[in-house]
């Protein structure tokens, strides 16, 4: 892998020597002018040559690192257009990830093992990236199962924006008892004795879930930095080199942003981050926005860390909740304060993004924008977009296009598809969100995950969803007419995201003069069978010419990180996303787990007289003659 002759490439004396050359690759450049290549050279974090061996040979010097891609597929580095990367990094090493776990049985075994090593005063927390739909058992854990797995250690298991399951120790640690009042927009499920059972429901607001999680111990100082660095390395594992941080609840500025700022100053970011600012306190939104406008400007920073605008909420009253297990929330009158916020941003050159799940909300927001457009105040040259938009109508998309807006879609229905289908029916589910209709109108449509508290941060799960229309439980929601081809999906995860930050001229494609962000993949994204897309990983991820992740044949070429701390961290023992396997192997494992679970259930029924020994014909004494 070092600067030695490789296939006739001999180091040459040159003042323009590249730091890195990758050759013998199947490069998808994303550049219409040269869509395919076999090699590229990097100097100063920028691509200096793209072509074949003869094109990169003049850039190879005695210190150039030459990497043979061994005929593997190379793509531009992925860019998640909606990822809560700052918040996720602050907590990553404290979380037990069920991302990619095929059975609840395995998840509970991981939880039981983690509880045994977790010190007193700490919690075991499973926070996002999974759904009951992915499990062979197709259900949530019960409170009794959590109590059995961890009798004394607090356990908090978050399921999407719908619910949380707490064991007895966590309910005590969170201060829940029969006298705890019902939270606004949420529900504490209680037994007949009035005591909390351990189930929390978002009804429809997830604030009760987040507020409870916030009671768990948090990391501080250097521990936050190390946690964030390991989270960024985990994202690099899947070929991510950029992300747009959508801010979110319980992410305060500037204190919760200080970790990435300090890492950027030290040159220790391995992922480029464009971030947004989100007013946290209802009633103080205009004051917050005014204060930020006076102290910062969009695009402050550099190509590693930069401010991209406001959002994803501007005012709390205008936010709809995407809990598809509950009816669509009816929002009160929010337009006067919302208009003040938008007007303030437009007058001061700030773009924004808006969380809007339902067309009912989108239409009301657009009416405000159109009112300001009549005054010449919108969009005033500022970038703006809607996030999510699962039920956006054709008429609303026309209005977005007329106002120069963009869209950012996420694979939330990979994880919540069944709930959406049951509530809104197959017709609405087929167009949730209407990706093809957005593209047909010429809108910039970027893709992301909305990780870490809903979807997994693995972008290949989202790419699989875009291409196949299937969720993590293999449920098909979107017909072929609302899917996209693989090249389009990849553009949504590369150059489209760069457009949302005004960086499309230097990011998202592999051509001379662009940032050297790339990934060499474990499988060929363009030819691998469709079900296997979700299991692709990167073997070599390069951000700004730095090898930030290396595996397989390239293991050891990346930058060394300090070990995960604390030593009891779930990530130290289990890692993050559970190692991908082929769909066939996963299916066999899931079936095996389900069969074992069924056999245990049968034995339980035999002990209670509801089934015969040996697995004979099912009978229930209530209906036997």
């Amino acid at each position: 892998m070092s600067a030695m002759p490789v296939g006739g490439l001999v180091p040459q004396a040159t003042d323009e020597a590249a730091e890195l050359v990758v050759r013998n690759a199947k490069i998808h450049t994303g550049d219409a002018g040269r869509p395919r290549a076999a090699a590229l050279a990097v100097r100063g974090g920028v691509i200096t040559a793209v072509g074949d061996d003869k094109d990169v040979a003049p850039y190879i010097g005695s210190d150039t690192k030459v990497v043979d891609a061994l005929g593997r597929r190379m793509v531009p580095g992925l860019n998640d257009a909606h990822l809560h990367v700052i918040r996720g990094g602050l907590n990553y090493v404290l979380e037990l990830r069920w991302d990619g776990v095929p059975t609840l049985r395995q998840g509970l075994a991981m939880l039981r093992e983690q509880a045994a090593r977790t010190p007193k005063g700490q919690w075991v927390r499973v926070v996002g990236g999974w759904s009951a739909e992915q499990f062979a058992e197709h259900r949530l854990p019960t409170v009794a199962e959590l109590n059995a797995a961890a009798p004394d250690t607090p356990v908090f298991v978050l399921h999407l924006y719908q619910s949380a399951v707490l064991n007895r120790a966590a309910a005590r640690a969170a201060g829940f008892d029969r006298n705890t009042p019902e939270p606004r927009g949420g529900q504490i499920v209680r037994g007949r004795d009035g005591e909390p059972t351990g189930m929390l429901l978002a009804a429809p607001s997830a604030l009760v879930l987040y507020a409870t999680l916030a009671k768990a111990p948090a990391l501080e100082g250097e521990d936050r930095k190390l946690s964030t660095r390991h989270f960024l390395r985990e994202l690099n594992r899947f070929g991510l080199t950029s992300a747009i941080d959508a801010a979110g609840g319980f992410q305060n500025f500037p204190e919760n942003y200080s970790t990435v700022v300090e890492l950027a100053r030290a040159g220790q970011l391995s992922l480029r981050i464009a971030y947004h600012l989100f007013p946290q306190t209802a009633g103080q939104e205009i004051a917050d926005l005014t204060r930020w406008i006076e102290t910062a400007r969009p695009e402050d920073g550099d190509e590693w860390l930069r401010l991209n605008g406001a959002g994803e909420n501007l005012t709390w009253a205008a936010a709809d909740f995407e809990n598809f297990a509950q009816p669509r929330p009816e929002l009160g009158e929010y337009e006067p304060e919302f208009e003040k916020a938008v007007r303030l941003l437009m007058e001061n050159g700030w773009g924004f993004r808006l969380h809007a799940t339902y067309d009912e909300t989108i239409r009301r927001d657009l009416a405000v924008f159109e009112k300001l457009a009549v005054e010449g105040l919108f969009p005033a040259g500022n970038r703006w977009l809607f996030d999510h938009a699962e039920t956006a109508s054709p008429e609303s998309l026309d209005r977005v296009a007329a106002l120069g807006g963009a869209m950012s879609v996420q694979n939330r229905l990979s994880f919540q598809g069944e709930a959406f289908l049951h509530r809104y029916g197959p017709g609405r589910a087929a167009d949730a969100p209407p990706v093809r209709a957005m593209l047909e109108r010429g809108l910039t449509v970027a893709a992301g995950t909305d990780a870490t508290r809903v979807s997994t941060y693995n972008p290949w799960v989202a790419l699989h969803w875009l291409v196949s229309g299937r969720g993590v439980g293999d449920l098909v929601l979107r017909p072929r007419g609302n899917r996209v081809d693989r090249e389009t999906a990849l553009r949504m995860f590369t150059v489209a995201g760069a457009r949302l930050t005004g960086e499309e001229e230097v990011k998202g494609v592999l051509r001379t003069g662009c940032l050297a962000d790339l990934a060499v993949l474990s499988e060929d994204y363009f030819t691998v069978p469709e079900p296997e897309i979700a299991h692709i990983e990167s073997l070599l991820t390069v951000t700004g010419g730095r090898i930030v992740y290396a595996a397989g044949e390239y293991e050891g070429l990346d930058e060394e990180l300090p070990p995960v701390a604390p030593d009891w961290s779930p990530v130290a023992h289990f890692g993050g996303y559970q190692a991908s396997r082929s769909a066939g192997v996963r299916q066999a494992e899931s079936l095996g787990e389900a069969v074992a679970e069924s056999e245990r259930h049968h034995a339980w029924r035999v002990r209670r007289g509801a089934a015969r020994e040996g697995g004979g014909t099912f009978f229930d004494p209530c209906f036997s003659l």
Side-chain angles (χ1 to χ4, degrees):
M1 305 300 176
S2 61
M4 297 179 64
V6 180
L9 296 182
V10 181
Q12 304 176 23
T14 174
D15 294 332
E16 300 298 325
E19 288 104 19
L20 175 68
V21 165
V22 184
R23 64 174 297 273
N24 191 21
K26 290 189 290 187
I27 303 177
H28 174 82
T29 66
D31 179 11
R34 185 166 197 168
R36 290 174 293 279
L40 58 75
V42 177
R43 178 181 172 83
V46 174
I47 298 171
T48 55
V50 179
D52 54 24
D53 281 356
K54 72 177 185 301
D55 296 306
V56 301
Y59 298 93
I60 298 178
S62 58
D63 294 325
T64 301
K65 180 176 291 184
V66 180
V67 177
D68 189 334
L70 301 174
R72 294 187 181 276
R73 175 65 67 186
M74 180 196 296
V75 298
L78 302 187
N79 184 350
D80 190 321
H82 187 118
L83 176 65
H84 297 279
V85 59
I86 293 174
R87 185 176 67 195
L90 298 179
N91 302 288
Y92 176 63
V93 299
L94 296 179
E95 295 175 352
L96 176 65
R97 305 302 306 182
W98 279 357
D99 308 50
V101 173
T103 68
L104 177 58
R105 183 186 181 200
Q106 179 181 333
L108 289 171
M110 294 167 66
L111 194 152
R112 186 179 303 109
E113 183 182 336
Q114 182 57 39
R117 72 167 63 92
T118 299
K120 186 175 182 179
Q122 290 288 344
W123 294 26
V124 177
R125 56 198 96 180
V126 180
V127 185
W130 67 281
S131 168
E133 294 180 25
Q134 80 192 46
F135 291 149
E137 299 89 342
H138 217 73
R139 66 173 179 86
L140 301 180
T142 65
V143 174
E145 286 171 324
L146 299 190
N147 286 333
D152 304 310
T153 304
V155 174
F156 176 97
V157 178
L158 178 70
H159 186 238
L160 309 172
Y161 288 144
Q162 297 176 7
S163 60
V165 190
L166 284 67
N167 70 345
R168 189 180 301 109
R172 285 197 303 267
F176 291 135
D177 59 30
R178 68 170 62 232
N179 299 314
T180 303
E182 287 297 306
R184 185 181 178 199
Q187 180 185 351
I188 301 171
V189 179
R190 304 173 191 271
R192 63 174 64 91
D193 58 359
E195 294 288 343
T197 65
M199 286 291 300
L200 302 178
L201 301 179
S205 169
L207 291 179
V208 62
L209 312 181
Y210 289 170
T212 303
L213 179 60
K215 297 177 182 180
L219 296 171
E220 299 293 340
E222 292 300 314
D223 291 336
R224 285 188 167 196
K225 290 185 190 177
L226 184 57
S227 177
T228 297
R229 292 183 70 188
H230 276 283
F231 184 46
L232 300 186
R233 174 65 61 88
E234 173 75 352
L235 298 177
N236 299 148
R237 168 188 168 191
F238 296 101
L240 281 162
T241 57
S242 291
I244 307 177
D245 186 275
F250 295 86
Q251 183 169 308
N252 294 296
F253 181 81
E255 52 266 38
N256 291 141
Y257 292 71
S258 61
T259 296
V260 291
V261 169
E262 291 174 21
L263 290 175
R265 287 173 179 163
Q268 293 179 330
L269 291 179
S270 62
L271 184 91
R272 306 183 192 277
I273 301 173
Y275 62 89
H276 287 253
L277 301 184
F278 182 125
Q280 293 294 308
T281 305
Q284 294 183 198
E285 298 95 333
I286 302 301
D288 285 343
L289 293 171
T290 300
R291 185 174 69 256
W292 298 335
I293 285 169
E294 292 172 350
T295 58
R297 297 286 301 173
E299 300 182 10
D300 279 357
D302 58 21
E303 69 268 19
W304 285 98
L305 183 65
R306 58 195 282 140
L307 172 61
N308 199 49
E312 58 180 306
N313 278 354
L314 302 184
T315 62
W316 279 95
D320 55 16
F321 298 102
E322 66 283 11
N323 178 2
F324 301 125
Q326 296 282 334
R328 177 181 63 82
E330 294 291 341
L331 303 182
E333 183 184 18
Y334 65 77
E335 283 82 355
E337 199 72 4
F338 180 72
E339 180 181 330
K340 288 180 186 178
V342 177
R343 185 182 295 272
L344 179 65
L345 294 170
M346 294 298 99
E347 289 175 343
N348 288 278
W350 275 58
F352 62 86
R353 66 191 309 155
L354 274 179
H355 168 108
T357 300
Y358 302 101
D359 190 57
E360 290 80 358
T361 309
I362 292 171
R363 291 200 307 265
R364 292 174 65 176
D365 293 350
L366 287 168
V368 172
F369 304 159
E370 289 162 346
K371 176 182 176 181
L372 296 177
V374 170
E375 301 178 34
L377 281 176
F378 194 91
N382 300 305
R383 293 187 300 272
W384 70 277
L385 65 124
F386 279 118
D387 276 306
H388 313 312
E390 275 86 358
T391 70
S393 66
E395 294 77 17
S396 291
L397 296 180
D398 289 338
R399 295 165 70 187
V400 172
L403 291 169
M407 308 298 295
S408 175
V409 299
Q410 299 77 39
N411 63 314
R412 302 191 303 180
L413 293 196
S414 285
F415 296 81
Q416 302 184 75
E418 289 191 11
F420 190 96
L421 180 67
H422 292 156
R423 183 161 298 281
Y424 297 108
R428 298 290 295 276
D431 286 327
V435 176
R436 288 287 288 271
M438 296 173 183
L439 292 167
E440 287 165 359
R441 285 161 173 77
L443 292 167
T444 293
V445 185
T449 61
D450 201 9
T452 59
R453 292 184 176 176
V454 180
S455 305
T456 179
Y457 50 73
N458 181 348
W460 298 101
V461 174
L463 282 155
H464 174 256
W465 170 79
L466 285 167
V467 170
S468 71
R470 295 176 182 271
V472 293
D474 213 32
L475 175 69
V476 180
L477 287 178
R478 296 182 301 112
R480 192 166 301 278
N482 194 32
R483 304 176 204 165
V484 298
D485 62 76
R486 300 188 192 201
E487 186 170 355
T488 299
L490 187 61
R491 283 199 302 269
M492 293 169 68
F493 254 103
T494 51
V495 71
R499 290 194 188 108
L500 298 188
T501 57
E503 299 175 281
E504 64 269 28
E505 294 301 318
V506 296
K507 187 192 288 188
V509 296
L510 300 176
R511 65 168 174 251
T512 303
C514 287
L515 298 172
D517 300 348
L518 58 93
V520 177
L521 305 180
S522 60
E523 303 290 343
D524 189 339
Y525 166 66
F526 291 103
T527 61
V528 72
E530 191 174 88
E532 300 301 303
I533 293 174
H535 307 295
I536 292 173
E537 296 189 15
S538 177
L539 295 178
L540 187 84
T541 304
V542 174
T543 311
R546 293 162 43 202
I547 299 176
V548 295
Y549 179 80
E553 298 92 343
Y554 312 108
E555 187 172 355
L557 292 182
D558 51 0
E559 303 164 347
E560 187 175 5
L561 285 184
V564 173
D567 59 5
W568 55 266
S569 161
V571 174
H573 294 268
F574 298 109
Y577 191 96
Q578 293 302 293
S580 297
R581 295 171 298 281
S582 73
V585 170
R586 284 202 317 138
Q587 183 181 47
E589 290 178 348
S590 297
L591 287 173
E593 297 280 3
V595 167
E597 194 70 30
S598 176
E599 290 172 350
R600 282 191 295 274
H601 183 67
H602 178 74
W604 178 86
R605 292 182 61 80
V606 168
R607 289 196 299 271
R608 284 155 179 78
R612 293 191 178 95
E613 189 72 50
T617 305
F618 166 81
F619 77 99
D620 187 322
C622 292
F623 294 93
S624 60
L625 298 176

